[in-house]
Amino acid sequence: MAQDQLSATFAALADPTRRAILDRLSEGEATVTELAQPFDMSLPAVSKHLKVLERAGLIRRSRESRWRPCTLEAQPLSEALSWVERYRRFWDASFDRLDDYLAELQKGDPDGRPS
Amino acid sequence: MDVQAETKTHELVIERRFDAPPELLFKMWTEPEHIVRWWGCPMMRANKVTNDLRVGGGFRSEMTLEDGVEHTLFGTYREIEPPTRVSFTWTWENETMGRGYETLVTVMLAADGDGTMMTLRHEFFEDADMRDQHNEGWTASVDRLSGIVAEG
């Protein structure tokens, strides 16, 4: 996955309004007016958030329809999750070793001080 | 040994209990002679670690994998509060992939009976602004989204 895509995904997610919009879209497509409804925000302000999400590839907007409903694109989110998984593997392996190493260090030393 | 893990889209949180006091865990995280004994992915063969343990000081870890590939990991200490908390930035670099993202690692250590409950948070951030927004916490909507993505 390109670094720029990952940066764009995380940057787009770093805003509560945009996360709420994605949450709404996870239930199905919606128009800008529908998306703006729960927020105390002008339509142009909501459109700005939608543009960020669209640029990051997290949503798709229909070009044909007059109402241009928005739909969620799950692929970049899924790639962001696999980025997290790489780190999980690193730490899980490390902590298994740390467990063994701590046991070795504390052998015969009730205070647990490394020699 | 308890292992609990939670995945959000932007961060990794791992909780784990160790049979050792927080003071010893803190040394494990901050002293190179100990770090080299456990840090690393499953493929790691050797690790050379140097550090300058003060806020703003750096650390560097040069890892050699079983296939001979070398990875460098480096960062800067952000918080040092023995024996309960240490945080540092974390960036990978290797010859073929170049430099990776800067991420932030926060380790929290709490006494738990004879042992320590450790919470590790590893999060992605691009800059201070984004990190601060992350610290505000993420809404339930992202948790649900993660669930949807994981199923899809």
Side-chain angles (χ1 to χ4, degrees), chain B:
Chain B
M1 182 180 70
D2 296 323
V3 180
Q4 278 185 357
E6 180 189 0
T7 301
K8 296 181 183 178
T9 41
H10 74 302
E11 70 173 14
L12 174 65
V13 176
I14 299 177
E15 284 188 350
R16 189 147 163 170
R17 190 183 183 283
F18 292 95
D19 288 329
E23 290 76 12
L24 183 53
L25 262 300
F26 192 82
K27 282 170 179 274
M28 298 296 110
W29 275 102
T30 53
E31 296 180 2
E33 61 169 301
H34 296 305
I35 294 172
V36 296
R37 298 292 298 272
W38 64 275
W39 259 22
C41 64
M43 295 268 292
M44 198 187 67
R45 190 174 67 201
N47 191 2
K48 204 172 87 188
V49 176
T50 53
N51 76 345
D52 175 17
L53 188 65
R54 55 184 177 84
V55 172
F59 73 89
R60 194 172 178 85
S61 163
E62 290 166 8
M63 301 185 182
T64 308
L65 304 187
E66 278 162 9
D67 56 11
V69 175
E70 293 184 355
H71 291 273
T72 301
L73 169 65
F74 61 92
T76 304
Y77 290 105
R78 291 286 182 94
E79 297 169 295
I80 302 170
E81 296 167 22
T84 56
R85 189 180 176 95
V86 59
S87 76
F88 44 88
T89 63
W90 165 294
T91 307
W92 282 108
E93 192 168 46
N94 70 31
E95 274 185 15
T96 47
M97 305 285 285
R99 183 174 290 201
Y101 321 100
E102 186 172 49
T103 58
L104 182 70
V105 174
T106 305
V107 180
M108 288 156 281
L109 304 166
D112 180 40
D114 295 338
T116 300
M117 184 56 85
M118 184 200 72
T119 305
L120 170 103
R121 193 169 72 225
H122 197 153
E123 60 201 312
F124 178 96
F125 68 92
E126 277 187 296
D127 53 40
D129 267 2
M130 191 165 163
R131 189 184 67 244
D132 293 343
Q133 288 178 53
H134 281 166
N135 287 345
E136 285 171 13
W138 286 55
T139 60
S141 67
V142 171
D143 294 350
R144 284 200 295 278
L145 270 176
S146 301
I148 291 162
V149 168
E151 284 162 24

Side-chain angles (χ1 to χ4, degrees), chain A residues 36-89:
Chain A
Q37 225 161 24
F39 305 108
D40 185 20
M41 208 179 270
S42 66
L43 278 181
V46 170
S47 288
K48 224 178 237 178
H49 284 302
L50 291 175
K51 269 188 200 126
V52 174
L53 290 169
E54 195 175 16
R55 266 204 305 274
L58 296 176
I59 64 167
R60 194 177 53 232
R61 287 206 269 184
S62 158
R63 296 289 166 202
E64 292 104 55
S65 161
R66 181 181 161 200
W67 297 105
R68 302 189 69 202
C70 303
T71 45
L72 188 68
E73 284 280 5
Q75 184 61 24
L77 285 174
S78 159
E79 285 167 357
L81 281 178
S82 70
W83 173 86
V84 167
E85 276 310 305
R86 283 209 300 277
Y87 284 98
R88 179 187 300 288
R89 281 200 296 277

